[in-house]
Amino acid sequence: MPSSFSAPGFADELTPGVLDRWNRVVEDEFQRLEPLQGSPYFTLEPGDPDPQRVAVTWFGNPAEPEFCFDETTARKLSDWGVRGRRALHNEYCEYAVVTAPDAQGRLRPKRVQVTTELAEYYQVLAEDAPDLLREIVTDTLGGEPPRWEELYGPTVANPKLLSPAQRRVAFARQLTGHGGHTDLQDAGVPGNPVGSLNAVNALFMAHPINGLDDLLYIVMFGAKPYARRTATGALEPAGRDQIFRQDPPLAALACRNADPAAALAAAGAAFDGRTVSFADPIGMYIHAFTSEVFQFQSGPVPDPWIRLSRGRQGLHQRLEFGPGDADPHFLDEITVVEGESEEPLTGGYQVVRHVQVGPLAALGAPKDVPPDDFVVLPDPPGPIRCRDAGVCGDVVRPLKEAFEAATGQPAQPAGPRGRR
């Protein structure tokens, strides 16, 4: 039976045809992954007539640069514009910093844009609803409507003259990159988009790990009754290292914020005999923002500086934090107060460390798990050593070296925590 999800966050009124197209994209990804990670404890939509809706959450800051090096390095690299975003923002949460000149002409950070919106959803709009796409971009970013060329590329003055398939390729080349999709790769779409609209702004997530397919995969992977046997022979829920060590390439995922949170939540539910599904509407959401740690002039940050959007009923997919264009103040006039520490707010990493994101799950009622259904895992030979993960040498260290070469400043602090 085809899925029947609403638009993510209930944010948009879609025509039946566009809504059907979105559901076919979701269904196709599920059908592709089911032979790999299928489980009787996972269904795409709830089969239980009265499921329990549960927010599965984690913090949105990139974990990899911190476990590879330290928090200071993570902050500098993650805040390094589009290069940091494309390399490191892989916790289903991406951000961009909007800058503006002050009265002296100095370029300073103005506000942070945070998004959890799925690129696949925007791809559907680009293919089947160009006018709605442009309306959403205009409402989200403000100002004048974007030119068609900004959305579909410099040669496309009117996307309505193209077929949906042609619009898919043009939009992907301009704003999403191929995202690992074979048809887009075959059409010559590069991994990184050539347009700047979603690089200067955080309109939707662009990192290939932050896709609908990865979200489905990690929940399906976790939705099995994983168990370990105790000394007395009883079964208890398996831990993070046991679950992720069963497949060596997946071990590094245990070190992120998102993947263990999603997988362990699904595994815990399956261990109790619950079915795991995505609640309507499927998507990634901002569930909490600890704004209390931010202060302005020794008091709370003004309410208009915290703007949640792109969603209803608490299912927001966008946060803008900081003064608006007409406000004379700047982001670095806000301070971050944690314990005895107080420092200026200079970028997005400090913000998303206090933003909790994640999907909305639907859990069936608990039931007895047949003994043969348990996936009994051996105790791992030792804990997963995150600093030894391949991403540290393959991605984070080269990015750190490039940052230091480009800026002339060290990414890593001197002292006991710095490792040269």
Side-chain angles (χ1 to χ4, degrees):
M1 182 177 179
S3 59
S4 55
F5 291 110
S6 306
F10 302 115
D12 306 311
E13 295 293 332
L14 303 180
T15 65
V18 176
L19 187 59
D20 177 67
R21 176 79 175 98
W22 168 238
N23 276 275
R24 279 189 283 129
V25 167
V26 175
E27 186 75 29
D28 287 349
E29 288 291 356
F30 170 64
Q31 295 294 343
R32 184 177 67 83
L33 292 170
E34 191 174 28
L36 303 174
Q37 292 297 337
S39 165
Y41 295 88
F42 179 87
T43 59
L44 185 57
E45 292 185 278
D48 192 301
D50 187 25
Q52 179 186 1
R53 290 166 66 93
V54 176
V56 180
T57 67
W58 55 84
F59 287 101
N61 58 292
E64 290 174 344
E66 184 167 350
F67 69 65
C68 291
F69 290 99
D70 50 62
E71 184 181 321
T72 300
T73 304
R75 175 174 156 184
K76 289 184 177 181
L77 298 184
S78 299
D79 284 348
W80 194 26
V82 69
R83 291 193 65 174
R85 179 179 172 188
R86 286 175 175 167
L88 301 177
H89 294 196
N90 58 10
E91 301 285 1
Y92 299 93
C93 178
E94 299 183 21
Y95 63 84
V97 177
V98 176
T99 59
D102 64 13
Q104 287 72 44
R106 296 173 301 170
L107 204 61
R108 294 168 61 187
K110 191 72 173 177
R111 61 186 171 274
V112 178
Q113 301 173 339
V114 180
T115 183
T116 62
E117 292 208 67
L118 295 166
E120 288 89 346
Y121 178 68
Y122 277 77
Q123 193 79 56
V124 167
L125 296 176
E127 293 172 43
D128 293 353
D131 287 328
L132 178 58
L133 169 69
R134 186 155 70 165
E135 179 184 323
I136 289 170
V137 173
T138 304
D139 290 345
T140 300
L141 301 183
E144 294 295 318
R147 295 176 293 107
W148 288 126
E149 291 87 346
E150 293 181 89
L151 298 174
Y152 291 94
T155 64
V156 182
N158 184 358
K160 298 171 190 177
L161 300 179
L162 304 179
S163 69
Q166 290 171 322
R167 289 196 290 264
R168 171 177 171 80
V169 171
F171 182 78
R173 180 177 289 111
Q174 186 71 7
L175 285 187
T176 71
H178 61 62
H181 296 284
T182 304
D183 67 312
L184 295 177
Q185 291 175 314
D186 291 345
V189 175
N192 291 326
V194 299
S196 63
L197 189 63
N198 194 40
V200 175
N201 301 282
L203 182 60
F204 54 82
M205 295 187 292
H207 195 292
I209 299 292
N210 294 337
L212 173 66
D213 54 347
D214 296 284
L215 175 60
L216 288 169
Y217 177 89
I218 197 62
V219 175
M220 294 171 73
F221 166 75
K224 301 176 181 68
Y226 294 113
R228 66 174 296 272
R229 202 169 292 280
T230 68
T232 63
L235 293 178
E236 65 179 19
R240 181 201 72 163
D241 287 7
Q242 290 165 307
I243 291 174
F244 281 90
R245 271 199 185 277
Q246 63 177 306
D247 187 354
L250 294 178
L253 300 185
C255 301
R256 292 179 181 158
N257 294 329
D259 296 295
L264 289 173
F271 188 88
D272 292 334
R274 296 175 178 267
T275 55
V276 180
S277 311
F278 284 95
D280 183 41
I282 191 171
M284 286 293 303
Y285 302 109
I286 297 171
H287 293 290
F289 175 41
T290 312
S291 60
E292 296 81 9
V293 303
F294 301 98
Q295 292 192 359
F296 174 68
Q297 297 180 348
S298 301
V301 170
D303 288 343
W305 292 9
I306 305 171
R307 300 177 294 282
L308 288 162
S309 61
R310 294 297 298 150
R312 297 185 287 111
Q313 302 179 24
L315 298 177
H316 298 107
Q317 301 170 95
R318 183 175 184 80
L319 166 69
E320 289 200 59
F321 182 62
D325 287 336
D327 196 300
H329 298 289
F330 287 82
L331 193 72
D332 53 12
E333 296 175 56
I334 300 172
T335 56
V336 189
V337 181
E338 297 181 85
E340 299 298 317
S341 170
E342 182 173 355
E343 61 180 347
L345 175 58
T346 57
Y349 184 84
Q350 294 160 287
V351 174
V352 296
R353 284 188 69 236
H354 301 282
V355 174
Q356 293 184 53
V357 303
L360 194 64
L363 306 181
K367 298 177 181 177
D368 291 335
V369 177
D372 289 345
D373 279 6
F374 284 107
V375 182
V376 183
L377 301 173
D379 286 335
I384 293 173
R385 291 172 51 87
C386 293
R387 281 185 180 244
D388 295 337
V391 69
C392 294
D394 297 341
V395 176
V396 182
R397 185 177 292 279
L399 186 69
K400 173 178 175 291
E401 292 170 352
F403 172 87
E404 292 174 340
T407 64
Q409 59 173 295
Q412 195 170 15
R417 292 187 66 190
R419 296 187 300 139
R420 294 283 180 183

